[in-house]
């Protein structure tokens, strides 16, 4: 609703996972390309493809094309899992893939809000499967450990994401050829408040 894209808009869903956002945009009438490094995710999405919805395995640190898209989306904290220079490469590659004055929307957690309300451990039971989730901070990373217990078997997953403050994002975007236009603090597009907003949603334009 905010972007008010023309029907000719071409969207790039960067780190699309199983295509939830890509599919929604395509059903709304837009040409969408979803990229993800996970072969498993792309195998899941490909049967859902059509003439205006395509999915590919791709490393988002590398440009996908030159000026092919009007808007790049990176949603639901699909950023911050790599080192700083690689994170900047992601933004630079997105810039190359955008047309002149193209738009970029990056949706990230607000570090101040997360660290203030950090839940060290919680347990959730879904369909008799027990999930124990532990969270801690080490240096500049938020580490989440997820232990899954099902029928006497245990599986452990670890997720590490960088704690990136808003000022650092401003430096990243400036270095990557973008001008930040707005920063929202939640999915209702309320103004970003550094100490309290749950999200950090950055809307930028290619310079």
């Amino acid at each position: 609703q905010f972007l008010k894209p023309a029907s000719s808009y071409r969207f790039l869903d960067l780190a699309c996972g199983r295509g939830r956002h890509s599919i929604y945009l395509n059903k709304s009438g837009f040409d969408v390309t979803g990229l993800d490094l996970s072969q498993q995710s792309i195998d899941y999405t490909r049967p859902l493809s059509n003439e205006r919805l395509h999915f590919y395995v791709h490393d988002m640190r590398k440009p996908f094309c030159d000026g092919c898209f009007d808007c790049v989306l990176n949603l639901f904290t699909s950023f911050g899992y790599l080192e700083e220079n690689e994170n900047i490469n992601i933004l630079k590659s997105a810039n190359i893939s955008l047309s002149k004055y193209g738009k970029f929307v990056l949706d990230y957690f607000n570090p101040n809000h997360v660290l203030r309300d950090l839940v060290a451990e919680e347990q959730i039971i879904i369909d008799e499967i027990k999930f124990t989730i532990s969270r801690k901070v080490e240096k500049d990373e938020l580490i989440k450990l997820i232990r899954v217990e099902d029928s006497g078997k245990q599986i452990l997953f670890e997720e590490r994401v960088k704690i990136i403050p808003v000022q650092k994002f401003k430096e990243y975007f400036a270095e990557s050829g973008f001008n930040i236009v707005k920063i929202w603090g939640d999915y209702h597009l309320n103004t970003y408040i550094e100490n309290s907003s749950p999200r950090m949603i950055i809307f930028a334009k290619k310079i």
Side-chain angles (χ1 to χ4, degrees):
Q1 291 172 339
F2 177 86
L3 291 174
K4 294 180 173 58
S7 59
S8 59
Y9 247 55
R10 298 157 298 169
F11 281 92
L12 174 60
D13 186 4
L14 205 55
C16 66
R18 291 192 166 194
R20 176 173 46 157
H21 302 111
S22 298
I23 293 165
Y24 171 82
L25 286 166
N26 178 248
K27 286 182 177 178
S28 299
F30 300 106
D31 188 296
V32 186
T33 297
L35 304 180
D36 203 279
L37 191 61
S38 167
Q39 181 70 59
Q40 186 178 30
S41 291
I42 297 304
D43 287 344
Y44 177 90
T45 60
R46 276 193 174 139
L48 307 172
S49 301
N50 58 51
E51 66 275 6
R52 302 191 76 201
L53 176 62
H54 306 281
F55 295 99
Y56 302 97
V57 174
H58 185 78
D59 186 336
M60 64 182 178
R61 291 170 291 185
K62 302 174 182 177
F64 180 72
C65 63
D66 188 352
C68 298
F69 299 101
D70 300 293
C71 186
V72 173
L73 305 175
N74 183 256
L75 304 176
F76 209 61
T77 311
S78 300
F79 189 88
Y81 296 95
L82 304 168
E83 296 305 315
E84 183 172 274
N85 65 317
E86 295 178 296
N87 285 330
I88 293 171
N89 281 342
I90 292 169
L91 297 181
K92 288 181 176 178
S93 295
N95 188 291
I96 291 169
S97 295
L98 280 168
S99 59
K100 190 175 183 180
Y101 308 122
K103 299 169 184 178
F104 189 105
V105 179
L106 186 146
D107 165 31
Y108 205 69
F109 67 92
N110 179 17
N112 289 353
H113 180 270
V114 169
L115 297 180
R116 186 194 66 197
D117 299 332
L118 188 69
V119 178
E121 185 170 303
E122 62 180 322
Q123 292 185 345
I124 303 170
I125 298 176
I126 302 174
D127 295 333
E128 300 184 357
I129 301 172
K130 182 179 177 182
F131 299 85
T132 303
I133 304 168
S134 303
R135 301 176 183 87
K136 62 180 180 178
V137 175
E138 285 185 4
K139 295 182 179 179
D140 63 344
E141 288 187 317
L142 175 62
I143 302 169
K144 183 192 294 184
L145 297 172
I146 305 170
R147 178 177 286 105
V148 183
E149 299 176 56
D150 182 17
S151 303
K153 297 180 180 179
Q154 289 192 14
I155 303 173
L156 185 65
F157 297 94
E158 181 181 87
E159 177 184 288
R160 291 174 175 260
V161 61
K162 297 291 184 185
I163 299 169
I164 306 175
V166 66
Q167 186 56 43
K168 182 62 70 174
F169 266 116
K170 289 178 179 178
E171 294 172 10
Y172 284 0
F173 274 85
E175 185 174 341
S176 304
F178 286 101
N179 176 44
I180 293 178
V181 179
K182 285 184 176 290
I183 304 179
W184 297 296
D186 58 35
Y187 294 125
H188 300 287
L189 305 190
N190 290 308
T191 300
Y192 173 73
I193 301 172
E194 191 168 349
N195 291 325
S196 59
S197 294
R199 305 298 298 177
M200 187 196 309
I201 305 172
I202 299 171
F203 171 55
K205 289 185 179 180
K206 180 175 179 174
I207 298 172

PDB file of all heavy atoms in Angstrom, residues 143-175:
ATOM      1  N   ILE A 143      22.399 -15.501  19.684  1.00  0.00           N
ATOM      2  CA  ILE A 143      22.460 -16.938  19.425  1.00  0.00           C
ATOM      3  C   ILE A 143      21.201 -17.602  19.967  1.00  0.00           C
ATOM      4  O   ILE A 143      20.829 -17.411  21.127  1.00  0.00           O
ATOM      5  CB  ILE A 143      23.707 -17.566  20.080  1.00  0.00           C
ATOM      6  CG1 ILE A 143      24.970 -16.886  19.550  1.00  0.00           C
ATOM      7  CG2 ILE A 143      23.752 -19.068  19.812  1.00  0.00           C
ATOM      8  CD1 ILE A 143      26.223 -17.251  20.309  1.00  0.00           C
ATOM      9  N   LYS A 144      20.547 -18.345  19.090  1.00  0.00           N
ATOM     10  CA  LYS A 144      19.339 -19.068  19.478  1.00  0.00           C
ATOM     11  C   LYS A 144      19.598 -20.559  19.321  1.00  0.00           C
ATOM     12  O   LYS A 144      19.997 -21.028  18.249  1.00  0.00           O
ATOM     13  CB  LYS A 144      18.157 -18.651  18.608  1.00  0.00           C
ATOM     14  CG  LYS A 144      16.835 -19.312  18.996  1.00  0.00           C
ATOM     15  CD  LYS A 144      15.772 -19.102  17.944  1.00  0.00           C
ATOM     16  CE  LYS A 144      15.356 -17.673  17.804  1.00  0.00           C
ATOM     17  NZ  LYS A 144      14.244 -17.506  16.839  1.00  0.00           N
ATOM     18  N   LEU A 145      19.388 -21.321  20.397  1.00  0.00           N
ATOM     19  CA  LEU A 145      19.492 -22.780  20.362  1.00  0.00           C
ATOM     20  C   LEU A 145      18.086 -23.358  20.472  1.00  0.00           C
ATOM     21  O   LEU A 145      17.339 -23.012  21.393  1.00  0.00           O
ATOM     22  CB  LEU A 145      20.369 -23.299  21.509  1.00  0.00           C
ATOM     23  CG  LEU A 145      21.827 -22.850  21.502  1.00  0.00           C
ATOM     24  CD1 LEU A 145      22.516 -23.285  22.795  1.00  0.00           C
ATOM     25  CD2 LEU A 145      22.561 -23.430  20.305  1.00  0.00           C
ATOM     26  N   ILE A 146      17.746 -24.239  19.542  1.00  0.00           N
ATOM     27  CA  ILE A 146      16.412 -24.849  19.540  1.00  0.00           C
ATOM     28  C   ILE A 146      16.578 -26.369  19.662  1.00  0.00           C
ATOM     29  O   ILE A 146      17.151 -27.016  18.791  1.00  0.00           O
ATOM     30  CB  ILE A 146      15.650 -24.512  18.245  1.00  0.00           C
ATOM     31  CG1 ILE A 146      15.585 -23.001  18.047  1.00  0.00           C
ATOM     32  CG2 ILE A 146      14.245 -25.112  18.283  1.00  0.00           C
ATOM     33  CD1 ILE A 146      15.060 -22.586  16.693  1.00  0.00           C
ATOM     34  N   ARG A 147      16.056 -26.906  20.765  1.00  0.00           N
ATOM     35  CA  ARG A 147      16.101 -28.362  20.975  1.00  0.00           C
ATOM     36  C   ARG A 147      14.702 -28.923  20.715  1.00  0.00           C
ATOM     37  O   ARG A 147      13.725 -28.503  21.337  1.00  0.00           O
ATOM     38  CB  ARG A 147      16.552 -28.695  22.396  1.00  0.00           C
ATOM     39  CG  ARG A 147      16.577 -30.216  22.676  1.00  0.00           C
ATOM     40  CD  ARG A 147      17.103 -30.536  24.059  1.00  0.00           C
ATOM     41  NE  ARG A 147      18.552 -30.340  24.116  1.00  0.00           N
ATOM     42  CZ  ARG A 147      19.150 -29.308  24.703  1.00  0.00           C
ATOM     43  NH1 ARG A 147      18.419 -28.352  25.250  1.00  0.00           N
ATOM     44  NH2 ARG A 147      20.451 -29.213  24.740  1.00  0.00           N
ATOM     45  N   VAL A 148      14.625 -29.852  19.781  1.00  0.00           N
ATOM     46  CA  VAL A 148      13.352 -30.470  19.415  1.00  0.00           C
ATOM     47  C   VAL A 148      13.322 -31.897  19.951  1.00  0.00           C
ATOM     48  O   VAL A 148      14.225 -32.692  19.660  1.00  0.00           O
ATOM     49  CB  VAL A 148      13.158 -30.483  17.879  1.00  0.00           C
ATOM     50  CG1 VAL A 148      11.789 -31.054  17.529  1.00  0.00           C
ATOM     51  CG2 VAL A 148      13.329 -29.081  17.300  1.00  0.00           C
ATOM     52  N   GLU A 149      12.298 -32.213  20.745  1.00  0.00           N
ATOM     53  CA  GLU A 149      12.150 -33.561  21.304  1.00  0.00           C
ATOM     54  C   GLU A 149      10.848 -34.169  20.787  1.00  0.00           C
ATOM     55  O   GLU A 149       9.774 -33.626  20.999  1.00  0.00           O
ATOM     56  CB  GLU A 149      12.137 -33.497  22.829  1.00  0.00           C
ATOM     57  CG  GLU A 149      13.421 -32.919  23.427  1.00  0.00           C
ATOM     58  CD  GLU A 149      13.340 -32.779  24.930  1.00  0.00           C
ATOM     59  OE1 GLU A 149      13.065 -33.793  25.607  1.00  0.00           O
ATOM     60  OE2 GLU A 149      13.533 -31.655  25.423  1.00  0.00           O
ATOM     61  N   ASP A 150      10.997 -35.291  20.097  1.00  0.00           N
ATOM     62  CA  ASP A 150       9.843 -35.955  19.486  1.00  0.00           C
ATOM     63  C   ASP A 150      10.013 -37.459  19.599  1.00  0.00           C
ATOM     64  O   ASP A 150      10.967 -38.033  19.063  1.00  0.00           O
ATOM     65  CB  ASP A 150       9.720 -35.539  18.014  1.00  0.00           C
ATOM     66  CG  ASP A 150       8.506 -36.157  17.339  1.00  0.00           C
ATOM     67  OD1 ASP A 150       7.595 -36.627  18.048  1.00  0.00           O
ATOM     68  OD2 ASP A 150       8.461 -36.154  16.096  1.00  0.00           O
ATOM     69  N   SER A 151       9.110 -38.108  20.321  1.00  0.00           N
ATOM     70  CA  SER A 151       9.109 -39.573  20.481  1.00  0.00           C
ATOM     71  C   SER A 151      10.469 -40.093  20.968  1.00  0.00           C
ATOM     72  O   SER A 151      10.992 -41.088  20.471  1.00  0.00           O
ATOM     73  CB  SER A 151       8.736 -40.251  19.162  1.00  0.00           C
ATOM     74  OG  SER A 151       7.486 -39.790  18.703  1.00  0.00           O
ATOM     75  N   GLY A 152      11.037 -39.406  21.937  1.00  0.00           N
ATOM     76  CA  GLY A 152      12.291 -39.856  22.531  1.00  0.00           C
ATOM     77  C   GLY A 152      13.537 -39.454  21.765  1.00  0.00           C
ATOM     78  O   GLY A 152      14.665 -39.691  22.222  1.00  0.00           O
ATOM     79  N   LYS A 153      13.378 -38.829  20.605  1.00  0.00           N
ATOM     80  CA  LYS A 153      14.529 -38.376  19.817  1.00  0.00           C
ATOM     81  C   LYS A 153      14.719 -36.878  19.989  1.00  0.00           C
ATOM     82  O   LYS A 153      13.747 -36.139  20.162  1.00  0.00           O
ATOM     83  CB  LYS A 153      14.330 -38.716  18.341  1.00  0.00           C
ATOM     84  CG  LYS A 153      14.243 -40.206  18.054  1.00  0.00           C
ATOM     85  CD  LYS A 153      14.056 -40.462  16.561  1.00  0.00           C
ATOM     86  CE  LYS A 153      13.960 -41.954  16.267  1.00  0.00           C
ATOM     87  NZ  LYS A 153      13.757 -42.210  14.808  1.00  0.00           N
ATOM     88  N   GLN A 154      15.986 -36.451  19.922  1.00  0.00           N
ATOM     89  CA  GLN A 154      16.297 -35.034  20.072  1.00  0.00           C
ATOM     90  C   GLN A 154      17.094 -34.523  18.869  1.00  0.00           C
ATOM     91  O   GLN A 154      17.968 -35.216  18.358  1.00  0.00           O
ATOM     92  CB  GLN A 154      17.118 -34.779  21.345  1.00  0.00           C
ATOM     93  CG  GLN A 154      16.345 -34.951  22.628  1.00  0.00           C
ATOM     94  CD  GLN A 154      17.117 -34.415  23.832  1.00  0.00           C
ATOM     95  OE1 GLN A 154      18.095 -33.693  23.678  1.00  0.00           O
ATOM     96  NE2 GLN A 154      16.665 -34.768  25.026  1.00  0.00           N
ATOM     97  N   ILE A 155      16.752 -33.332  18.433  1.00  0.00           N
ATOM     98  CA  ILE A 155      17.505 -32.651  17.373  1.00  0.00           C
ATOM     99  C   ILE A 155      17.806 -31.249  17.877  1.00  0.00           C
ATOM    100  O   ILE A 155      16.938 -30.583  18.455  1.00  0.00           O
ATOM    101  CB  ILE A 155      16.707 -32.567  16.055  1.00  0.00           C
ATOM    102  CG1 ILE A 155      16.289 -33.958  15.580  1.00  0.00           C
ATOM    103  CG2 ILE A 155      17.538 -31.887  14.959  1.00  0.00           C
ATOM    104  CD1 ILE A 155      15.360 -33.932  14.373  1.00  0.00           C
ATOM    105  N   LEU A 156      19.038 -30.789  17.653  1.00  0.00           N
ATOM    106  CA  LEU A 156      19.449 -29.466  18.120  1.00  0.00           C
ATOM    107  C   LEU A 156      19.801 -28.577  16.931  1.00  0.00           C
ATOM    108  O   LEU A 156      20.567 -28.969  16.054  1.00  0.00           O
ATOM    109  CB  LEU A 156      20.661 -29.582  19.049  1.00  0.00           C
ATOM    110  CG  LEU A 156      21.141 -28.284  19.705  1.00  0.00           C
ATOM    111  CD1 LEU A 156      20.082 -27.751  20.658  1.00  0.00           C
ATOM    112  CD2 LEU A 156      22.459 -28.506  20.447  1.00  0.00           C
ATOM    113  N   PHE A 157      19.197 -27.394  16.897  1.00  0.00           N
ATOM    114  CA  PHE A 157      19.494 -26.409  15.854  1.00  0.00           C
ATOM    115  C   PHE A 157      20.115 -25.172  16.509  1.00  0.00           C
ATOM    116  O   PHE A 157      19.746 -24.808  17.627  1.00  0.00           O
ATOM    117  CB  PHE A 157      18.215 -25.978  15.122  1.00  0.00           C
ATOM    118  CG  PHE A 157      17.516 -27.085  14.387  1.00  0.00           C
ATOM    119  CD1 PHE A 157      16.494 -27.791  14.999  1.00  0.00           C
ATOM    120  CD2 PHE A 157      17.875 -27.415  13.092  1.00  0.00           C
ATOM    121  CE1 PHE A 157      15.833 -28.814  14.327  1.00  0.00           C
ATOM    122  CE2 PHE A 157      17.224 -28.430  12.410  1.00  0.00           C
ATOM    123  CZ  PHE A 157      16.207 -29.130  13.033  1.00  0.00           C
ATOM    124  N   GLU A 158      21.033 -24.549  15.792  1.00  0.00           N
ATOM    125  CA  GLU A 158      21.629 -23.298  16.279  1.00  0.00           C
ATOM    126  C   GLU A 158      21.492 -22.224  15.205  1.00  0.00           C
ATOM    127  O   GLU A 158      21.752 -22.468  14.037  1.00  0.00           O
ATOM    128  CB  GLU A 158      23.100 -23.484  16.623  1.00  0.00           C
ATOM    129  CG  GLU A 158      23.746 -22.205  17.147  1.00  0.00           C
ATOM    130  CD  GLU A 158      25.219 -22.363  17.472  1.00  0.00           C
ATOM    131  OE1 GLU A 158      26.045 -22.196  16.551  1.00  0.00           O
ATOM    132  OE2 GLU A 158      25.533 -22.685  18.630  1.00  0.00           O
ATOM    133  N   GLU A 159      21.087 -21.041  15.639  1.00  0.00           N
ATOM    134  CA  GLU A 159      20.949 -19.904  14.731  1.00  0.00           C
ATOM    135  C   GLU A 159      21.735 -18.733  15.309  1.00  0.00           C
ATOM    136  O   GLU A 159      21.594 -18.400  16.481  1.00  0.00           O
ATOM    137  CB  GLU A 159      19.471 -19.529  14.594  1.00  0.00           C
ATOM    138  CG  GLU A 159      19.194 -18.325  13.733  1.00  0.00           C
ATOM    139  CD  GLU A 159      17.716 -17.973  13.732  1.00  0.00           C
ATOM    140  OE1 GLU A 159      16.929 -18.712  13.119  1.00  0.00           O
ATOM    141  OE2 GLU A 159      17.362 -16.958  14.360  1.00  0.00           O
ATOM    142  N   ARG A 160      22.589 -18.129  14.485  1.00  0.00           N
ATOM    143  CA  ARG A 160      23.377 -16.963  14.904  1.00  0.00           C
ATOM    144  C   ARG A 160      23.090 -15.807  13.963  1.00  0.00           C
ATOM    145  O   ARG A 160      23.227 -15.955  12.758  1.00  0.00           O
ATOM    146  CB  ARG A 160      24.881 -17.284  14.867  1.00  0.00           C
ATOM    147  CG  ARG A 160      25.342 -18.271  15.923  1.00  0.00           C
ATOM    148  CD  ARG A 160      26.802 -18.656  15.721  1.00  0.00           C
ATOM    149  NE  ARG A 160      27.276 -19.501  16.805  1.00  0.00           N
ATOM    150  CZ  ARG A 160      27.991 -19.066  17.836  1.00  0.00           C
ATOM    151  NH1 ARG A 160      28.339 -17.778  17.886  1.00  0.00           N
ATOM    152  NH2 ARG A 160      28.372 -19.885  18.793  1.00  0.00           N
ATOM    153  N   VAL A 161      22.706 -14.672  14.522  1.00  0.00           N
ATOM    154  CA  VAL A 161      22.430 -13.499  13.702  1.00  0.00           C
ATOM    155  C   VAL A 161      23.129 -12.295  14.333  1.00  0.00           C
ATOM    156  O   VAL A 161      23.185 -12.159  15.556  1.00  0.00           O
ATOM    157  CB  VAL A 161      20.904 -13.263  13.551  1.00  0.00           C
ATOM    158  CG1 VAL A 161      20.247 -13.033  14.900  1.00  0.00           C
ATOM    159  CG2 VAL A 161      20.619 -12.124  12.596  1.00  0.00           C
ATOM    160  N   LYS A 162      23.664 -11.433  13.496  1.00  0.00           N
ATOM    161  CA  LYS A 162      24.391 -10.267  13.971  1.00  0.00           C
ATOM    162  C   LYS A 162      23.446  -9.255  14.630  1.00  0.00           C
ATOM    163  O   LYS A 162      22.317  -9.062  14.174  1.00  0.00           O
ATOM    164  CB  LYS A 162      25.124  -9.583  12.816  1.00  0.00           C
ATOM    165  CG  LYS A 162      26.192 -10.433  12.144  1.00  0.00           C
ATOM    166  CD  LYS A 162      27.385 -10.672  13.031  1.00  0.00           C
ATOM    167  CE  LYS A 162      28.475 -11.452  12.293  1.00  0.00           C
ATOM    168  NZ  LYS A 162      29.602 -11.810  13.180  1.00  0.00           N
ATOM    169  N   ILE A 163      23.932  -8.628  15.675  1.00  0.00           N
ATOM    170  CA  ILE A 163      23.216  -7.520  16.301  1.00  0.00           C
ATOM    171  C   ILE A 163      23.692  -6.249  15.598  1.00  0.00           C
ATOM    172  O   ILE A 163      24.803  -5.767  15.835  1.00  0.00           O
ATOM    173  CB  ILE A 163      23.498  -7.467  17.810  1.00  0.00           C
ATOM    174  CG1 ILE A 163      23.020  -8.754  18.473  1.00  0.00           C
ATOM    175  CG2 ILE A 163      22.838  -6.250  18.446  1.00  0.00           C
ATOM    176  CD1 ILE A 163      23.480  -8.922  19.903  1.00  0.00           C
ATOM    177  N   ILE A 164      22.867  -5.728  14.699  1.00  0.00           N
ATOM    178  CA  ILE A 164      23.262  -4.592  13.867  1.00  0.00           C
ATOM    179  C   ILE A 164      22.419  -3.374  14.256  1.00  0.00           C
ATOM    180  O   ILE A 164      21.210  -3.349  13.995  1.00  0.00           O
ATOM    181  CB  ILE A 164      23.076  -4.911  12.370  1.00  0.00           C
ATOM    182  CG1 ILE A 164      23.819  -6.209  11.994  1.00  0.00           C
ATOM    183  CG2 ILE A 164      23.588  -3.744  11.513  1.00  0.00           C
ATOM    184  CD1 ILE A 164      23.592  -6.663  10.560  1.00  0.00           C
ATOM    185  N   PRO A 165      23.016  -2.369  14.871  1.00  0.00           N
ATOM    186  CA  PRO A 165      22.252  -1.164  15.243  1.00  0.00           C
ATOM    187  C   PRO A 165      21.907  -0.332  14.021  1.00  0.00           C
ATOM    188  O   PRO A 165      22.499  -0.480  12.947  1.00  0.00           O
ATOM    189  CB  PRO A 165      23.208  -0.422  16.179  1.00  0.00           C
ATOM    190  CG  PRO A 165      24.571  -0.885  15.777  1.00  0.00           C
ATOM    191  CD  PRO A 165      24.416  -2.298  15.301  1.00  0.00           C
ATOM    192  N   VAL A 166      20.955   0.572  14.190  1.00  0.00           N
ATOM    193  CA  VAL A 166      20.456   1.365  13.071  1.00  0.00           C
ATOM    194  C   VAL A 166      21.569   2.201  12.436  1.00  0.00           C
ATOM    195  O   VAL A 166      21.611   2.363  11.209  1.00  0.00           O
ATOM    196  CB  VAL A 166      19.258   2.239  13.504  1.00  0.00           C
ATOM    197  CG1 VAL A 166      19.678   3.301  14.511  1.00  0.00           C
ATOM    198  CG2 VAL A 166      18.584   2.858  12.294  1.00  0.00           C
ATOM    199  N   GLN A 167      22.486   2.730  13.235  1.00  0.00           N
ATOM    200  CA  GLN A 167      23.553   3.553  12.679  1.00  0.00           C
ATOM    201  C   GLN A 167      24.448   2.741  11.759  1.00  0.00           C
ATOM    202  O   GLN A 167      24.905   3.222  10.716  1.00  0.00           O
ATOM    203  CB  GLN A 167      24.389   4.186  13.800  1.00  0.00           C
ATOM    204  CG  GLN A 167      25.438   5.167  13.299  1.00  0.00           C
ATOM    205  CD  GLN A 167      24.863   6.283  12.447  1.00  0.00           C
ATOM    206  OE1 GLN A 167      23.823   6.856  12.782  1.00  0.00           O
ATOM    207  NE2 GLN A 167      25.509   6.608  11.338  1.00  0.00           N
ATOM    208  N   LYS A 168      24.701   1.491  12.128  1.00  0.00           N
ATOM    209  CA  LYS A 168      25.512   0.621  11.274  1.00  0.00           C
ATOM    210  C   LYS A 168      24.795   0.338   9.958  1.00  0.00           C
ATOM    211  O   LYS A 168      25.417   0.328   8.886  1.00  0.00           O
ATOM    212  CB  LYS A 168      25.821  -0.680  12.001  1.00  0.00           C
ATOM    213  CG  LYS A 168      26.692  -1.655  11.227  1.00  0.00           C
ATOM    214  CD  LYS A 168      28.070  -1.083  10.915  1.00  0.00           C
ATOM    215  CE  LYS A 168      28.929  -0.956  12.141  1.00  0.00           C
ATOM    216  NZ  LYS A 168      30.317  -0.541  11.792  1.00  0.00           N
ATOM    217  N   PHE A 169      23.476   0.138   9.998  1.00  0.00           N
ATOM    218  CA  PHE A 169      22.716  -0.056   8.765  1.00  0.00           C
ATOM    219  C   PHE A 169      22.805   1.184   7.876  1.00  0.00           C
ATOM    220  O   PHE A 169      22.907   1.070   6.648  1.00  0.00           O
ATOM    221  CB  PHE A 169      21.256  -0.376   9.072  1.00  0.00           C
ATOM    222  CG  PHE A 169      20.949  -1.844   9.129  1.00  0.00           C
ATOM    223  CD1 PHE A 169      20.529  -2.430  10.312  1.00  0.00           C
ATOM    224  CD2 PHE A 169      21.082  -2.637   8.003  1.00  0.00           C
ATOM    225  CE1 PHE A 169      20.247  -3.790  10.367  1.00  0.00           C
ATOM    226  CE2 PHE A 169      20.802  -4.002   8.042  1.00  0.00           C
ATOM    227  CZ  PHE A 169      20.385  -4.576   9.235  1.00  0.00           C
ATOM    228  N   LYS A 170      22.763   2.352   8.475  1.00  0.00           N
ATOM    229  CA  LYS A 170      22.880   3.579   7.691  1.00  0.00           C
ATOM    230  C   LYS A 170      24.221   3.622   6.960  1.00  0.00           C
ATOM    231  O   LYS A 170      24.292   4.026   5.785  1.00  0.00           O
ATOM    232  CB  LYS A 170      22.719   4.794   8.600  1.00  0.00           C
ATOM    233  CG  LYS A 170      21.296   4.987   9.110  1.00  0.00           C
ATOM    234  CD  LYS A 170      21.206   6.187  10.053  1.00  0.00           C
ATOM    235  CE  LYS A 170      19.774   6.382  10.546  1.00  0.00           C
ATOM    236  NZ  LYS A 170      19.669   7.518  11.503  1.00  0.00           N
ATOM    237  N   GLU A 171      25.277   3.182   7.620  1.00  0.00           N
ATOM    238  CA  GLU A 171      26.597   3.121   6.990  1.00  0.00           C
ATOM    239  C   GLU A 171      26.608   2.095   5.859  1.00  0.00           C
ATOM    240  O   GLU A 171      27.153   2.352   4.780  1.00  0.00           O
ATOM    241  CB  GLU A 171      27.657   2.779   8.030  1.00  0.00           C
ATOM    242  CG  GLU A 171      27.849   3.855   9.089  1.00  0.00           C
ATOM    243  CD  GLU A 171      28.758   3.403  10.224  1.00  0.00           C
ATOM    244  OE1 GLU A 171      29.384   2.320  10.094  1.00  0.00           O
ATOM    245  OE2 GLU A 171      28.835   4.117  11.242  1.00  0.00           O
ATOM    246  N   TYR A 172      26.011   0.921   6.104  1.00  0.00           N
ATOM    247  CA  TYR A 172      25.936  -0.133   5.084  1.00  0.00           C
ATOM    248  C   TYR A 172      25.255   0.385   3.815  1.00  0.00           C
ATOM    249  O   TYR A 172      25.741   0.181   2.707  1.00  0.00           O
ATOM    250  CB  TYR A 172      25.128  -1.332   5.595  1.00  0.00           C
ATOM    251  CG  TYR A 172      25.810  -2.245   6.585  1.00  0.00           C
ATOM    252  CD1 TYR A 172      27.105  -2.018   7.028  1.00  0.00           C
ATOM    253  CD2 TYR A 172      25.145  -3.362   7.091  1.00  0.00           C
ATOM    254  CE1 TYR A 172      27.706  -2.874   7.936  1.00  0.00           C
ATOM    255  CE2 TYR A 172      25.740  -4.223   7.992  1.00  0.00           C
ATOM    256  CZ  TYR A 172      27.015  -3.977   8.418  1.00  0.00           C
ATOM    257  OH  TYR A 172      27.601  -4.830   9.301  1.00  0.00           O
ATOM    258  N   PHE A 173      24.092   1.006   4.000  1.00  0.00           N
ATOM    259  CA  PHE A 173      23.316   1.456   2.841  1.00  0.00           C
ATOM    260  C   PHE A 173      24.028   2.561   2.081  1.00  0.00           C
ATOM    261  O   PHE A 173      24.023   2.574   0.844  1.00  0.00           O
ATOM    262  CB  PHE A 173      21.922   1.904   3.288  1.00  0.00           C
ATOM    263  CG  PHE A 173      20.918   0.793   3.368  1.00  0.00           C
ATOM    264  CD1 PHE A 173      20.806   0.009   4.510  1.00  0.00           C
ATOM    265  CD2 PHE A 173      20.094   0.499   2.294  1.00  0.00           C
ATOM    266  CE1 PHE A 173      19.899  -1.027   4.586  1.00  0.00           C
ATOM    267  CE2 PHE A 173      19.176  -0.536   2.344  1.00  0.00           C
ATOM    268  CZ  PHE A 173      19.075  -1.307   3.495  1.00  0.00           C
ATOM    269  N   ALA A 174      24.640   3.491   2.806  1.00  0.00           N
ATOM    270  CA  ALA A 174      25.367   4.578   2.146  1.00  0.00           C
ATOM    271  C   ALA A 174      26.528   4.025   1.326  1.00  0.00           C
ATOM    272  O   ALA A 174      26.769   4.454   0.185  1.00  0.00           O
ATOM    273  CB  ALA A 174      25.872   5.572   3.188  1.00  0.00           C
ATOM    274  N   GLU A 175      27.235   3.046   1.886  1.00  0.00           N
ATOM    275  CA  GLU A 175      28.365   2.448   1.187  1.00  0.00           C
ATOM    276  C   GLU A 175      27.927   1.654  -0.038  1.00  0.00           C
ATOM    277  O   GLU A 175      28.704   1.465  -0.982  1.00  0.00           O
ATOM    278  CB  GLU A 175      29.154   1.544   2.144  1.00  0.00           C
ATOM    279  CG  GLU A 175      30.427   0.966   1.568  1.00  0.00           C
ATOM    280  CD  GLU A 175      31.246   0.195   2.585  1.00  0.00           C
ATOM    281  OE1 GLU A 175      31.037   0.379   3.804  1.00  0.00           O
ATOM    282  OE2 GLU A 175      32.108  -0.605   2.149  1.00  0.00           O
TER     283      GLU A 175
END
